[in-house]
Amino acid sequence: MHKPPPLQCTGLNFRAFQFAQAMLFAIEEINNSTDLLPGISLGYKIYDACGSIARSVRVTLALANGNEVLFGPSQAPCIRPAQVQAIMGETSSSPCMAMATVIGPFHIPMISHFATCACLSDKTKYPSFLRTIPSDDYQSRALAQLVKHFGWTWVGAVRTNDDYGNNGMATFTETAQQLGICLEYSVSFFRTDPPDKIQKIIDIIKASTSKVIVAFLSHMDMDVLIHELSHHNLTGYQWVGSEGWIFDSQTAAMDKHHILDGAIGLSIPKAHVSGMREFMLDVKPLNSSSNELFTEFWETLFSCKFKQSKSSAGNQRECTLHEDLTGVQNSFTDMSLMPIFNNVYKGVYAVAHALHSMFSCNKTCNTMQLDPYTILQHIKRIHFKTKEGEEVYFNANGDPAAKYEIINWQPTENGIVDFVTVGFYDASLPADKQLNLQNMSLIWANNSQQVPVSVCSVKCRPGTRKVLQKGKPVCCYDCLGCAEGEISNITDSITCVKCHPEFWSNERRDACVKKEVEFLSYKEIMGALLTAASLLGTCITAVVASIFFTYRKTPIVRANNSELSFLLLFSLTLCFLCSLTFIGRPSEWSCMLRHTAFGITFVLCISCVLGKTIVVLMAFRATLPGSNVMKWFGPAQQRLSVLVFTLIQVIICILWLTISPPFPFKNFKEFKDRIILECTLGSAVGFWAVLGYVGLLAMSCFILAFLARKLPDNFNEAKFITFSMLIFCAVWITFIPAYVSSPGKFSVAVEIFAILASSFGLLICIFIPKCYVILLKPEKNTKQNMMGKKTPKSF
């Protein structure tokens, strides 16, 4: 088979070189320490994986097979089969996953300083992996909370198409959905993708309506994206970034068109390790270390070339080894990644503290019985403070405490971006206190000081509810006003709540107001008019009674049992007055009184009229020869008949009030916006029995009066009774449909009108003609005139 060519690096990565320098600084500090691992020196071997997963796996397999010596005693190195005790690295998540999978069965500890994928916390797959940088599980959730904090519910998302970006964005998406945030689009790419794929992403961003973009990218992918965004001049978007690029000064330097100005995101907290900066910038010792990388490093750092160099770069000056870093500005002299250097530093010290906890040895290394599994267990249990006072420990998943700074890209006058810390995120605090934004001014996209708005639909004001738009995410909705009788008193309500039956929604539909209680009141015009009519009828009746009393000895008053006439006037007075019980706010006593008083007074009234009608008939029967009928219906019998008829109605009313009396009732069904306060009948049978009995007596009276209408005019009042009963019956027959069909207080008014109309009919038809004779025609008020006979007339 053909053997594939060896994997070779194509260039020197200054950042990776800086990470190696940070490890060397930590090792040198430990080896010079008299407190930590006294008498023991840590050894090391540096491999450059060149960002290649395949190269990383190959190196890992070589280390697992034990081909290198990584540490020995300080005085005399031990020559024995090499066994790696710990691996520091890798930088990216995908290579770390491959490496951790390989060394997992060997239990060799692996501590990464920059691999953040949440998937690496799975101890069933990666049992020996630890890290000094928080898991993206915390960062993704923190980014979602940050987006929610500023009210952005409609955002776009761009991610690196690798384990770092895909896993981080998956957690962000899940958390965002829980917080009510919708993603208009979520696209991925890798820096090596063809230009047309990146162009599609640019087109998606252009066509989008969201103004906020969450970028879960590595700095290398962000550099590629910035180049394309600059080419299309896509400015005005608010960028929210992960720690992979948000605090990278090289990314900021590449943003010549200020596309990312105002960006906000999470970064590893700033760190300071005394002496590290000076150590890393002191490149002279690298020449004496016989480092194979020295030649390439020196040539790349100072843009020169050694004579014996194999470099193909032409037109470069010759390296003299007297070059000075003063004035050199490149990624090697950039110390903005000091938080990551600090992570490397903490990782090395974690291994050293684990070894120190295992033994304290002043003897030769032959007495040291070390194995990776034991070291791994000690590393998991370490808990110490660095010389700067920072606590270092790992949780059950091999992760450190999750703490981030929230930084804002604020451009300065000279065009350089300043990374300003505007808040903190600490996952160890209670959920409501994890995100802490300081009260300071932030710079947003386009150098605006106003928080950008990025929503699919504007918030629904109180009084409306959200209705989702068909086929769109939950963040896209229409606002529909609440129906009558329903309200919503919060913004973005998903439902409208029905008001209590005694309340109704106001015009804005954002509050329930107490319904107006409606009943027939004395204060309103209709109530006042009916009251006036009732009092007028009472006064007229009183006047008629006084006239009758004054002329009580005259023939016209005495002609038809004056006692019944006065009793009729009294009952009419009660009829007029009983209508007043129907006006005003219904109460228990008024509800019971109004119908029973009406029934009893009207029966009393009709009984008197019926008695007068019978007297007329009996009187003319008595004038016939041999007739003795009047002795059977004299004054005593008349009084008794009135009493009996009235007593029957009293019994009906007592039964009604005993079994199911009327009571006040709030009617919510008649009208939506107001309450009708009325007297419910209790027993409908009782009400119609009372009314039916009155109707029965009225019809009987009408029939008898009609039969007596052709008796002699001078004495006969039967025709007036006939007219009055005709009016009475007509009023109460029309009352029934009018009462049933009238709403609310108008049904009460109809009943009062029927009472007053029938009372006035009786009063006018029966008594006004007699008053006319008494007052205006006194010559006719004689016994001879009353006894005179005339030819009967018909009408």
Side-chain angles (χ1 to χ4, degrees), residues 65-181:
N65 289 329
N67 295 327
E68 296 292 341
V69 177
L70 289 189
F71 90 98
S74 58
Q75 301 299 324
C78 297
I79 306 302
R80 66 191 229 180
Q83 184 179 14
V84 63
Q85 303 301 326
I87 297 175
M88 308 305 300
E90 233 263 14
T91 301
S92 301
S93 294
S94 294
C96 277
M97 292 171 66
M99 294 170 62
T101 302
V102 170
I103 64 172
F106 299 96
H107 303 290
I108 300 174
M110 176 180 174
I111 304 178
S112 173
H113 53 279
F114 210 15
T116 58
C117 180
C119 54
L120 288 166
S121 297
D122 187 352
K123 295 299 104 177
T124 59
K125 293 183 178 180
Y126 315 107
S128 64
F129 179 82
L130 304 101
R131 52 186 161 193
T132 51
I133 189 170
S135 163
D136 279 339
D137 184 67
Y138 299 104
Q139 179 181 204
S140 299
R141 297 179 188 280
L143 284 174
Q145 291 184 36
L146 187 65
V147 169
K148 181 65 175 179
H149 176 81
F150 292 110
W152 301 324
T153 57
W154 187 239
V155 300
V158 183
R159 67 185 186 278
T160 299
N161 191 15
D162 61 5
D163 295 301
Y164 166 72
N166 292 331
N167 284 277
M169 187 55 70
T171 304
F172 171 83
T173 303
E174 179 185 353
T175 307
Q177 289 177 346
Q178 295 172 357
L179 296 176
I181 301 168

Side-chain angles (χ1 to χ4, degrees), residues 99-267:
M99 294 170 62
T101 302
V102 170
I103 64 172
F106 299 96
H107 303 290
I108 300 174
M110 176 180 174
I111 304 178
S112 173
H113 53 279
F114 210 15
T116 58
C117 180
C119 54
L120 288 166
S121 297
D122 187 352
K123 295 299 104 177
T124 59
K125 293 183 178 180
Y126 315 107
S128 64
F129 179 82
L130 304 101
R131 52 186 161 193
T132 51
I133 189 170
S135 163
D136 279 339
D137 184 67
Y138 299 104
Q139 179 181 204
S140 299
R141 297 179 188 280
L143 284 174
Q145 291 184 36
L146 187 65
V147 169
K148 181 65 175 179
H149 176 81
F150 292 110
W152 301 324
T153 57
W154 187 239
V155 300
V158 183
R159 67 185 186 278
T160 299
N161 191 15
D162 61 5
D163 295 301
Y164 166 72
N166 292 331
N167 284 277
M169 187 55 70
T171 304
F172 171 83
T173 303
E174 179 185 353
T175 307
Q177 289 177 346
Q178 295 172 357
L179 296 176
I181 301 168
C182 299
L183 269 63
E184 183 180 11
Y185 58 87
S186 182
V187 293
S188 64
F189 76 98
F190 198 70
R191 49 190 172 273
T192 57
D193 286 343
D196 61 332
K197 183 172 183 180
I198 299 177
Q199 179 60 43
K200 288 181 180 178
I201 294 176
I202 299 299
D203 294 339
I204 290 173
I205 294 175
K206 281 183 177 180
S208 67
T209 58
S210 56
K211 297 301 180 183
V212 174
I213 303 175
V214 179
F216 218 100
L217 301 168
S218 67
H219 68 277
M220 293 173 285
D221 296 307
M222 193 65 193
D223 294 344
V224 174
L225 187 60
I226 287 177
H227 178 75
E228 290 297 323
L229 292 171
S230 301
H231 180 69
H232 292 272
N233 195 28
L234 279 180
T235 59
Y237 291 92
Q238 178 61 47
W239 291 84
V240 180
S242 63
E243 37 65 52
W245 63 271
I246 196 68
F247 69 109
D248 192 282
S249 57
Q250 282 186 308
T251 301
M254 285 190 62
D255 187 20
K256 303 295 185 183
H257 290 75
H258 301 282
I259 292 171
L260 302 179
D261 282 3
I264 192 170
L266 303 178
S267 73

Side-chain angles (χ1 to χ4, degrees), residues 521-534:
S521 170
Y522 292 103
K523 296 180 179 179
E524 59 183 296
I525 295 176
M526 185 166 57
L529 290 175
L530 291 174
T531 301
S534 175

